Structures are given as C-alpha cells and as structure tokens.
Amino acid sequence: MCIRDSEYPVDDLDQSSRRLKRWIDEYKPDVVLSDYRGTRGLLESIGWKIPEEIGFASTSVLDGNADAGLNQNSHEIGKVAVNHLIALIYRREFGIPKVLQETLVNGYWQDGLDLPRKDVS
C-alpha cells in the first residue's frame, strides 16, 4: 500500500485511516515504511502503538515524522552544494551550464526508537 499526500487529501483522513487499517489487518506487517509525513498519525489514530505493536520508519527521517529510516544526509548535501557554488564563482561561470553535472551524496539507514528491538538468533 502506498500512502501519498496527493492520494489522501487532508479532508479525507477518515477514509485513509480505514484503508490503512484494512491493509494492516490483511498483511500484518511488523513495520510500516512510508514517504508520507502523516502516516504516523494515521497509525496512531487507528489504535496502533509505535513501536510496541508496530514499527515505523520513513524514507526521510528529516521530513517523515520518524526517528528511524533513511537519513538523506542533508548536512553533507548542503556542504557539497556550497562548495560547488564557490567553485562556479571562482571560475566565473554564470548562467545555465551547457553540460549537466550531477553529484550524488549517499544517505544511510538510521535506526531509531520507532522500530522495535528484535533479537536475531
């Protein structure tokens, strides 16, 4: 099940809660991973306790209302962007570049209290 802002407008939270409850009842996940900031609130509104009954993680711990999930490394992204801008100014490059350049800054998984502790034997 995919929950996105565009699919579930704020004025339709009751319907979203019902659909999420049906989905959890059917699939019985240990953890919900979401890119929608409101998922935590939806889980809590249908009676689930995080992390005691279900784990919750986000595709962006910065934006997703979870302390567990993907940390997109925004501090490093900012440093790389400023360094690139300084280099452009130093080389007196202005305007739209003729050749597109892309830079990748890796993110990483961040454990958090929103995930239940599991003993791996």
Side-chain angles (χ1 to χ4, degrees):
M1 176 179 195
C2 181
I3 300 174
R4 295 184 179 273
D5 289 310
S6 59
E7 293 178 26
Y8 297 96
V10 174
D11 60 346
D12 203 8
L13 286 177
D14 287 339
Q15 181 181 357
S16 299
S17 296
R18 286 192 301 274
R19 289 182 69 184
L20 181 59
K21 183 172 181 355
R22 277 195 310 266
W23 181 80
I24 290 174
D25 290 345
E26 181 178 351
Y27 293 101
K28 299 174 182 28
D30 293 326
V31 175
V32 173
L33 173 66
S34 176
D35 66 347
Y36 172 55
R37 182 172 182 73
T39 302
R40 178 189 202 96
L42 286 173
L43 288 167
E44 292 170 342
S45 75
I46 58 176
W48 288 93
K49 293 185 180 96
I50 301 170
E52 295 86 357
E53 297 175 330
I54 194 166
F56 178 59
S58 176
T59 56
S60 172
V61 294
L62 181 65
D63 303 318
N65 200 14
D67 68 353
L70 298 173
N71 185 319
Q72 296 176 350
N73 212 349
S74 56
H75 183 73
E76 189 66 25
I77 290 170
K79 287 177 15 182
V80 169
V82 168
N83 284 337
H84 185 68
L85 180 60
I86 289 169
L88 289 171
I89 292 170
Y90 179 76
R91 292 190 306 263
R92 303 185 64 70
E93 295 180 27
F94 302 100
I96 299 173
K98 293 179 182 175
V99 177
L100 175 67
Q101 293 182 3
E102 294 183 18
T103 303
L104 173 66
V105 176
N106 285 328
Y108 55 91
W109 181 262
Q110 175 178 308
D111 284 330
L113 298 175
D114 291 334
L115 292 177
R117 290 279 179 220
K118 296 277 184 175
D119 290 327
V120 179
S121 303

